[in-house]
């Protein structure tokens, strides 16, 4: 079995068991079928047509996957983003629960000696996938991130929970103009997301995704202290929907944005990876060793790894959803209640969605 598909009323999700990537997510709402997640255009092409050294997680790049560590595996040998997004998972359980469906998966490999479990929960009438990852045992520490990717045919507008600062790393993803291109300044930082420095001078609005801007850019947003869930909302213009990604900032204190819009010219990207935005909520710096060592995020008081130990487990939760949305402007804020999510427009109008408001464990203590 290469893929497991689970469903509840109005939603289905498929996991590619070969690499632990979500290969499909579909939400039925208001007579429409929404597909909020991206799937790389080269998936399905013969493996021999792709670069031989390409990690399996890039060969089968889709949806969302667990990065552990995030980026370079330079503490324990593993491919880019670690074994959870590059190797096989087993189905541990898949069964109906009251008002929905739950599936559990286990990574065949260990990460820093830890057993890694993934749990998907779908609820009838909820337009959301509720995810949890659990690391049991092990030693040392592990940096982690989710890697959801959405795609826009005609661009879109972004909105976020309050952020403290936005920071680009020392070097861009594609510094060689013979291989690709970028737009943002590196390194740079700004508190106003609507005025981030550009490499060519001037500033750009990070909340406006323009499909005409061919570039690969990466930026880290640090959550502000606000007491609520961390969230990203993407109002996709052509798709006429709203993609929602939610987290607990105490567990995953940073949101890393990957703007991938035709900015890589080499295979398999070849200028055809278009309109993609990665919304990568994590507890990490860039690379495993950097996350464990001294880094700029620690100087900002931000944790960049979970400690592992035998007889101990750590877990973190994450939510991805989508709803029909005719507005071109994203919401001004999101508010959670025990049984619903309130989507508040900038003008004050509110929309309520069925939602498990307790799932993200907001306000509860988190292991170091």
């Amino acid at each position: 079995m290469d893929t497991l598909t689970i469903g509840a009323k109005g939603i289905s999700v498929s996991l590619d068991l070969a690499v632990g990537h979500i290969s499909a997510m579909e939400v039925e709402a208001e007579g429409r079928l929404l597909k909020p997640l991206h799937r790389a255009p080269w998936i399905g092409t013969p493996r021999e047509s792709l670069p031989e050294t390409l990690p399996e997680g890039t060969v089968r790049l889709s949806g969302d996957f667990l990065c552990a560590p995030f980026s370079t595996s330079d503490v324990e040998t593993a491919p880019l983003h670690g074994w959870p997004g590059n190797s096989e998972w087993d189905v541990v359980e898949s069964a109906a629960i009251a008002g929905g469906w739950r599936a559990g998966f286990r990574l065949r490999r260990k990460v820093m000696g830890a057993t890694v479990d993934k749990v998907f929960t779908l609820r009838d009438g909820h337009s959301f996938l509720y995810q949890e990852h659990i690391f049991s045992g092990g030693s040392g520490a592990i940096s982690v991130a989710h890697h959801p990717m959405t795609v826009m045919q005609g661009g879109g507008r972004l909105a976020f929970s309050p952020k403290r600062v936005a920071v680009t790393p020392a070097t861009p993803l594609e510094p060689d103009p013979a291989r690709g291109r970028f737009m943002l300044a590196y390194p740079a930082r700004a508190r106003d997301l609507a005025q981030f420095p550009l490499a060519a001078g001037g500033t750009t609005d990070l909340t406006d995704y323009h499909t005409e801007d061919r570039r690969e850019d990466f930026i880290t947003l640090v959550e502000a202290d606000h007491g609520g869930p961390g969230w990203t909302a993407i109002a996709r213009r052509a798709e006429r929907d709203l993609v929602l990604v939610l987290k607990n900032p105490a567990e995953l204190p940073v949101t890393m944005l990957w703007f991938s819009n035709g900015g890589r010219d080499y295979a398999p990207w070849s200028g055809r990876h278009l309109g993609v935005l990665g919304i990568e909520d994590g507890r990490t710096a860039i690379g495993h060793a950097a996350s464990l060592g001294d880094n700029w995020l620690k100087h900002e008081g931000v944790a960049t790894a979970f400690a592992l130990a035998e007889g101990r487990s750590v877990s973190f939760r994450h939510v991805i959803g989508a709803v029909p949305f005719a507005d071109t402007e994203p919401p001004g804020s999101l508010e959670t209640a025990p049984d619903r999510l309130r989507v508040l427009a900038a003008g004050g109008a509110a929309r309520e969605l069925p939602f498990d408001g307790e799932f993200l464990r907001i306000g509860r203590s988190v292991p170091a």
Side-chain angles (χ1 to χ4, degrees):
M1 179 170 50
D2 292 333
T3 303
L4 179 72
T5 299
I6 64 171
K9 184 178 179 181
I11 186 169
S12 67
V13 174
S14 300
L15 186 71
D16 180 350
L17 297 170
V19 288
H21 291 218
I22 296 173
S23 55
M25 177 178 177
E26 296 184 344
V27 176
E28 297 176 41
E30 300 176 16
R32 297 178 55 200
L33 185 65
L34 311 180
K35 299 181 179 182
L37 297 180
H38 169 61
R39 192 165 167 80
W42 54 82
I43 290 179
T45 59
R47 180 64 181 88
E48 58 269 21
S49 69
L50 301 174
E52 189 176 339
T53 57
L54 210 60
E56 280 304 299
T58 306
V59 172
R60 304 171 78 99
L61 182 69
S62 61
D64 177 34
F65 57 94
L66 171 65
C67 306
F70 179 80
S71 187
T72 309
S73 298
D74 49 8
V75 173
E76 183 178 59
T77 302
L80 178 72
H81 292 319
W83 290 118
N86 287 278
S87 63
E88 294 175 304
W89 292 74
D90 290 319
V91 179
V92 177
E93 63 166 329
S94 183
I97 58 173
W101 196 276
R102 178 170 294 139
F105 311 89
R106 178 163 290 173
L107 183 67
R108 290 187 184 177
R109 291 177 178 266
K110 298 287 183 73
V111 175
M112 297 295 288
T115 298
V116 185
D117 289 295
K118 181 192 302 282
V119 181
F120 284 0
T121 304
L122 301 179
R123 301 201 174 277
D124 294 338
H126 289 214
S127 300
F128 299 94
L129 164 64
Y130 302 95
Q131 287 190 74
E132 181 173 20
H133 286 97
I134 306 107
F135 286 71
S136 303
S139 62
I142 187 67
S143 59
V144 300
H146 275 266
H147 202 292
M149 298 164 286
T150 192
V151 60
M152 293 164 268
Q153 297 299 317
R157 292 281 293 177
L158 318 178
F160 305 94
S161 53
K163 307 301 181 191
R164 190 194 316 171
V165 68
V167 179
T168 48
T171 56
L173 295 174
E174 297 298 337
D176 183 353
R179 290 169 59 82
R181 63 207 60 82
F182 59 94
M183 284 181 55
L184 301 180
Y186 294 81
R189 61 188 290 146
R191 297 191 181 278
D192 185 352
L193 302 186
Q195 297 188 59
F196 196 86
L198 288 167
T203 63
T204 188
D205 184 353
L206 295 175
T207 70
D208 199 353
Y209 193 114
H210 292 284
T211 51
E212 62 267 27
D213 295 332
R214 294 292 189 261
R215 41 86 166 253
E216 296 289 319
D217 277 305
F218 181 88
I219 189 166
T220 298
L221 312 182
V222 179
E223 201 76 18
D225 296 326
H226 54 76
W231 56 268
T232 302
I234 305 103
R236 302 193 296 176
R237 292 190 184 98
E239 293 78 9
R240 294 182 301 113
D241 63 14
L242 185 69
V243 178
L244 298 167
V245 181
L246 298 99
K247 65 175 184 177
N248 182 341
E251 296 174 354
L252 305 174
V254 300
T255 296
M256 299 165 287
L257 301 179
W258 174 37
F259 295 84
S260 183
N261 188 42
R264 285 177 170 149
D265 297 331
Y266 53 92
W269 313 88
S270 304
R272 58 181 170 160
H273 199 249
L274 299 168
V276 177
L277 177 70
I279 310 105
E280 302 164 12
D281 293 323
R283 188 184 188 92
T284 185
I286 301 175
H288 196 177
S291 299
L292 303 188
D294 190 36
N295 61 66
W296 71 270
L297 283 162
K298 287 183 179 177
H299 289 253
E300 304 262 353
V302 178
T304 53
F306 283 110
L308 303 173
E310 287 304 321
R312 180 176 187 254
S313 66
V314 294
S315 69
F316 51 95
R317 295 180 174 184
H318 196 250
V319 180
I320 302 171
V323 293
F325 195 74
D327 296 344
T328 55
E329 290 299 314
S333 65
L334 302 182
E335 295 177 354
T336 56
D339 61 351
R340 65 192 182 278
L341 179 69
R342 299 186 75 222
V343 181
L344 303 171
R351 177 179 180 180
E352 295 195 345
L353 307 171
F355 185 77
D356 182 355
E358 301 296 325
F359 179 77
L360 286 173
R361 306 182 290 201
I362 301 299
R364 300 187 217 171
S365 61
V366 177

